[in-house]
Amino acid sequence: MNAQKLMQFTRGLLALVILIAPALAPAEECEVELFVLGAGQDAGAPHIGYPDDPAWADPALGQTATSIAVVDHVAGERFLFEATPHVTRQLQLLDTLAPADGPGLGLDGVFLTHAHIGHYAGLMYFGREGAGADGIPVFVMPRFAAFLQGNGPWSQLVKLENIVIQPLAAETPVQASKGIHVTPLTVPHRDEFSETVGFVIVTNASKTLFLPDLDSWDEWAQASGIDLATRVVELDHLFVDATFFQDGELTGRDMSEIPHPRVKDTMERLSGLSPELRQKVRFIHYNHTNPIRFPASPESALVSARGFDVARAGDRLCLAP
């Protein structure tokens, strides 16, 4: 892609944000609100090394890496879940949907699930070359904390106090704001540099699971003693790993070597639940090869027909009316 096409692509994405955001009126009488800022796999789309991706020609078909924000409207506090490589555009979207009360990035905390690029690489924009942030609390598990503190360029963020590490402990809730508690749950995944967790976000009215990455529902159930169907019953909203729709998506790759729950398998696993329970489940973190990234695809229609939902950038959900 030449410089002119890249500029057109960037302008197209920004125009899309501007077009979408004003149409989303603020939720009335909502004390705590969740915003989907991105729903793609780590590298987003159009995907590097994938010249046939339709988003090259039509930026409206692009997607940013998975991230959500939770906003306590009463306290005027905003919390980011995942600092993706697309954090600049995502914070612009958040500023349009739920503007910060003061100057700077307006972030009162950042919660990170694990050290894969789409989930933490956006921290680099908090440093002196970018935002020059001042003391943003970053909540991570112990191995992840040690990784950030001991490896550049992340260690410079710590040294300059652009970020302040807040260590987490599994199954131990932390109070993000007066109206929000967050509990990390360890899950099986590739843990080269850190643990991997999902987060349960609790308000006075709901419990929401944010779990964009894991290897296997069965492995997690064996480790935790709780199966996925039980968690659907116990929780109010679930944003779960949808990296691939089914086997065979990656040409020339043995997908058995890439463990993620397939969307079709997750739907089948939960098919015995009532429609009221199935509608709690929203698929997120979908790869550029996953056809549910396109709202008009037959696969997206199938997800809807089976009573589930696909998370899209710009979605919003009231967690505490």
Side-chain angles (χ1 to χ4, degrees):
M1 177 181 287
N2 61 34
Q4 183 177 3
K5 288 184 177 180
L6 180 60
M7 182 66 71
Q8 291 172 345
F9 168 68
T10 303
R11 287 174 177 170
L13 281 180
L14 293 176
L16 180 63
V17 169
I18 293 170
L19 284 171
I20 291 175
L24 297 169
E28 294 183 1
E29 299 181 358
C30 184
E31 294 186 357
V32 180
E33 195 168 7
L34 182 152
F35 298 88
V36 177
L37 303 181
Q41 187 264 356
D42 298 39
H47 197 275
I48 185 171
Y50 193 71
D52 296 329
D53 195 304
W56 290 119
D58 184 358
L61 299 177
Q63 61 182 16
T64 58
T66 290
S67 178
I68 64 172
V70 177
V71 177
D72 185 331
H73 291 295
V74 176
E77 295 178 334
R78 309 192 307 176
F79 300 92
L80 185 68
F81 288 75
E82 311 292 46
T84 83
H86 309 113
V87 69
T88 300
R89 293 203 300 274
Q90 291 174 334
L91 289 182
Q92 181 193 34
L93 175 58
L94 179 60
D95 286 342
T96 304
L97 299 173
D101 287 343
L105 297 182
L107 293 176
D108 298 281
V110 178
F111 290 84
L112 302 178
T113 60
H114 65 299
H116 286 165
I117 64 164
H119 303 263
Y120 84 106
L123 290 178
M124 62 186 173
Y125 293 105
F126 293 179
R128 63 178 10 157
E129 301 91 343
D134 181 17
I136 295 178
V138 174
F139 295 83
V140 289
M141 294 291 285
R143 278 189 62 213
F144 201 167
F147 175 75
L148 293 175
Q149 292 164 335
N151 294 275
W154 323 112
S155 55
Q156 181 171 275
L157 299 173
V158 177
K159 180 180 179 180
L160 298 180
E161 297 185 346
N162 302 123
I163 65 174
V164 178
I165 300 296
Q166 303 291 328
L168 297 171
E171 312 284 341
T172 303
V174 298
Q175 185 170 349
S177 74
K178 184 176 180 180
I180 304 169
H181 288 78
V182 180
T183 302
L185 305 177
T186 56
V187 297
H189 192 46
R190 293 183 295 110
D191 291 340
E192 301 95 335
F193 303 118
S194 76
E195 311 87 339
T196 301
V197 299
F199 291 112
V200 175
I201 303 159
V202 179
T203 71
N204 60 8
S206 67
K207 296 180 180 179
T208 300
L209 175 66
F210 176 64
L211 180 53
D213 249 322
L214 83 161
D215 286 348
S216 163
W217 293 124
D218 286 334
E219 289 180 44
W220 191 31
Q222 290 168 6
S224 67
I226 306 173
D227 63 14
L228 177 60
T230 299
R231 294 186 187 274
V232 175
V233 172
E234 294 175 346
L235 298 164
D236 299 290
H237 312 286
L238 300 91
F239 292 82
V240 301
D241 185 343
T243 303
F244 301 112
F245 189 78
Q246 60 188 352
D247 287 336
E249 282 180 31
L250 298 179
T251 304
R253 297 281 299 275
D254 180 0
M255 292 189 62
S256 67
E257 298 177 353
I258 312 173
H260 284 276
R262 308 317 191 222
V263 171
K264 286 185 67 175
D265 294 341
T266 299
M267 291 194 296
E268 185 60 32
R269 183 180 294 264
L270 300 176
S271 61
L273 298 180
S274 68
E276 291 75 20
L277 292 175
R278 276 180 273 138
Q279 70 181 3
K280 296 179 179 183
V281 178
R282 294 168 168 84
F283 291 109
I284 201 166
H285 192 268
Y286 31 86
N287 197 48
H288 68 286
T289 59
N290 189 332
I292 67 170
R293 63 176 274 207
F294 304 110
S297 69
E299 291 79 4
S300 288
L302 177 62
V303 170
S304 179
R306 298 197 66 174
F308 303 95
D309 199 4
V310 178
R312 310 281 182 194
D315 287 353
R316 62 198 308 166
L317 178 66
C318 188
L319 303 183

